[in-house]
């Protein structure tokens, strides 16, 4: 008697299930990880072989690009009891198998010193003919908030609206900001304050003296936090009229000093110019000294006139004087002295 059809179907299902259990199977289940930059992550890939898997064991990890038009890239490979990890330069020195003997059933890999560029989809492929199995793992590397800076916007005067600002220079969105006033025994904010956790701005309306103090801001995302603080000092309003009057007075004094300096410089310039003009006029009034040649010609001419008036009887005594001598400036005297010399020569 033949078995009922239902019994045959159940038997075939059991045989199929038994066959599946004998094939290669990846047993790790985690498929998504979020880690902070600089940390370490283990991407799991544990597996179980069956008796039917008799071929060479290959364990290959690939990086699947976000652009589907690009090809996947091998990053590390175990084959024939050898490890090859030189395929992907961006992970050089930071990628390794977790177990030094992957054929034991653990093909997991460790990525050290994570970078934001390591974000992506990784796939583990285990092959041992005829068995083949693979598993995808999504990795997201987040950057902690860092270089957070606090600042104050607006006049720190009583009655004014003051804005405290907080912003992180680094950090993967979404970033959240939280302000608190650091006071002994309490950390509450003023009743009139309005906080925007997305922008990091804290608005203090109608500030009073009691608002003075230290305020702290904490920036956070899913992997870390960072903090900064600022000191607020609310003071009475400044006397604007006094400041303006002081500025005007200072400007007038500066202009007066500048005018005095200009006047002194002009006066000094005029004095120097007058001295030069007077000195030049004095030099023009002085006559230049007579030259030796003009003195000699004058002396010879006067002597010739004297000779022309003399009689021949008196020429003998006068000719004793050498006529070739040229008189110097010492001979140029008054006409009375020359006449005395001539008369002495003419006396018998």
């Amino acid at each position: 008697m033949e078995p009922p059809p239902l019994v045959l179907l159940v038997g075939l299902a059991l045989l199929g299930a038994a066959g599946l259990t004998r094939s290669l199977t990846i047993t790790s289940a985690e498929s998504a990880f979020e880690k902070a930059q600089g940390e370490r992550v283990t991407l799991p890939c544990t597996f179980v072989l069956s008796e039917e898997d008799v071929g060479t064991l290959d364990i290959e990890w690939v990086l699947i690009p976000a652009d589907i038009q690009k090809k996947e890239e091998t990053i590390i490979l175990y084959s024939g009891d050898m490890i090859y990890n030189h395929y992907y330069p961006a992970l050089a020195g930071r990628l390794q198998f977790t177990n030094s003997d992957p054929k034991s059933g653990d093909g997991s890999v460790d990525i050290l010193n994570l970078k934001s560029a390591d974000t992506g989809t990784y796939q583990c492929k285990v092959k041992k003919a005829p068995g083949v199995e693979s598993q995808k793992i999504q990795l997201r590397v987040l950057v902690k908030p860092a270089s957070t800076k606090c600042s104050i916007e607006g006049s720190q005067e009583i009655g004014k609206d003051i804005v405290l600002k907080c912003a992180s220079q680094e950090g993967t969105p979404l970033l959240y900001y939280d302000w608190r006033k650091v006071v002994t025994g309490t950390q509450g904010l003023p009743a009139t304050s309005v906080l925007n956790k997305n922008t990091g701005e804290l608005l203090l309306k109608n500030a009073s003296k009691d608002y003075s103090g230290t305020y702290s801001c904490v920036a956070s995302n899913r992997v870390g936090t960072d903090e900064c603080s600022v000191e607020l000092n609310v003071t009475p309003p400044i006397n604007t009229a006094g400041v303006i009057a002081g500025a005007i007075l200072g400007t007038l004094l500066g202009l007066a000093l500048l005018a005095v300096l200009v006047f002194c410089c002009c006066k000094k310039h005029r004095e120097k110019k007058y001295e030069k003009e007077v000195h030049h006029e004095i030099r023009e009034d002085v006559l230049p000294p007579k030259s030796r040649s003009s003195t000699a010609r004058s002396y010879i001419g006067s002597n010739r006139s004297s000779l022309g008036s003399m009689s021949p009887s008196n020429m003998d005594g006068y000719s004793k004087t050498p006529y070739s001598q040229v008189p110097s400036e010492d001979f140029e005297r008054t006409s009375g002295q020359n006449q005395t010399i001539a008369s002495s020569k003419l006396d018998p």
Side-chain angles (χ1 to χ4, degrees):
M1 186 177 78
E2 295 181 358
L6 180 60
V7 175
L8 290 175
L9 292 175
V10 171
L12 291 173
L14 292 174
L15 289 174
L20 289 175
T21 55
R22 289 197 301 269
S23 65
L24 188 155
T25 305
I26 292 179
T27 57
S28 52
E30 294 178 277
S31 60
F33 292 87
E34 281 189 351
K35 291 290 183 178
Q37 182 172 266
E39 293 183 346
R40 167 179 178 164
V41 67
T42 298
L43 304 182
C45 185
T46 56
F47 58 91
V48 176
L49 300 174
S50 70
E51 295 178 355
E52 296 178 356
D53 300 324
V54 294
T56 301
L57 176 63
D58 291 336
I59 303 173
E60 181 184 16
W61 279 91
V62 298
L63 177 61
I64 301 175
D67 188 352
I68 59 175
Q69 296 182 354
K70 295 182 179 180
K71 295 182 179 180
E72 60 186 32
E73 296 184 73
T74 301
I75 59 174
I76 194 169
L77 173 67
Y78 174 84
S79 180
D81 294 333
M82 297 291 292
I83 296 175
Y84 305 92
N85 61 355
H86 59 276
Y87 295 101
Y88 197 62
L91 290 172
R94 299 190 295 119
L95 178 65
Q96 62 189 24
F97 278 104
T98 305
N99 192 320
S100 59
D101 186 15
K103 68 176 181 291
S104 62
D106 186 5
S108 305
V109 292
D110 295 333
I111 302 178
L112 312 178
N113 189 23
L114 285 169
K115 300 179 180 180
S116 59
D118 297 335
T119 296
T121 302
Y122 297 80
Q123 185 176 34
C124 173
K125 298 179 180 181
V126 181
K127 305 173 185 178
K128 189 173 176 64
V132 177
E133 191 67 53
S134 65
Q135 177 176 323
K136 293 181 180 180
I137 298 176
Q138 184 68 39
L139 173 63
R140 187 183 182 197
V141 181
L142 305 178
V143 180
K144 296 179 181 180
S147 302
T148 304
K149 295 182 180 181
C150 295
S151 61
I152 300 176
E153 185 178 272
S155 177
Q156 301 181 49
E157 298 180 1
I158 295 176
K160 300 288 187 178
D161 291 346
I162 304 174
V163 179
L164 304 185
K165 291 189 173 184
C166 179
S168 293
Q169 305 300 315
E170 300 177 18
T172 302
L174 296 169
L175 291 173
Y176 297 97
Y177 300 93
D178 191 21
W179 280 95
R180 65 178 184 271
K181 185 180 180 183
V182 182
V183 184
T184 305
T186 179
Q187 293 183 341
L189 293 173
T192 63
S193 63
V194 179
L195 173 61
N196 188 327
K197 290 192 174 184
N198 294 322
T199 63
E201 293 186 359
L202 176 65
L203 173 61
L204 304 177
K205 295 183 177 180
N206 192 22
S208 66
K209 185 68 176 177
D210 296 335
Y211 287 17
S212 299
T214 302
Y215 289 77
S216 177
C217 173
V218 178
S220 61
N221 62 5
R222 301 178 65 173
V223 292
T225 62
D226 193 34
E227 188 173 351
C228 66
S229 61
V230 67
E231 188 73 23
L232 178 64
N233 184 25
V234 182
T235 59
I238 300 173
N239 185 0
T240 307
V243 173
I244 295 175
I248 294 174
L249 181 59
T251 302
L252 292 175
L253 289 176
L255 292 175
L257 180 59
L258 180 61
V260 171
L261 292 175
V262 171
F263 174 77
C264 292
C265 291
C266 292
K267 183 179 179 182
K268 189 68 175 178
H269 179 71
R270 286 196 301 267
E271 290 177 353
K272 288 184 177 180
K273 184 177 180 181
Y274 177 76
E275 289 178 359
K276 289 182 178 179
E277 291 178 351
V278 172
H279 182 69
H280 182 66
E281 291 176 358
I282 293 174
R283 294 189 62 182
E284 287 181 347
D285 292 340
V286 177
L287 295 176
K290 295 181 179 180
S291 62
R292 294 175 178 264
S293 59
S294 61
T295 303
R297 286 193 298 268
S298 176
Y299 176 76
I300 294 171
S302 61
N303 285 338
R304 286 179 176 175
S305 299
S306 300
L307 292 172
S309 59
M310 291 180 182
S311 60
S313 59
N314 296 328
M315 291 294 291
D316 294 335
Y318 191 80
S319 60
K320 295 179 180 180
T321 302
Y323 187 74
S324 61
Q325 292 183 355
V326 178
S328 63
E329 291 181 354
D330 295 338
F331 285 95
E332 186 175 350
R333 297 291 186 267
T334 60
S335 58
Q337 292 176 334
N338 291 333
Q339 291 175 358
T340 305
I341 297 172
S343 61
S344 62
K345 291 182 178 182
L346 293 173
D347 290 338

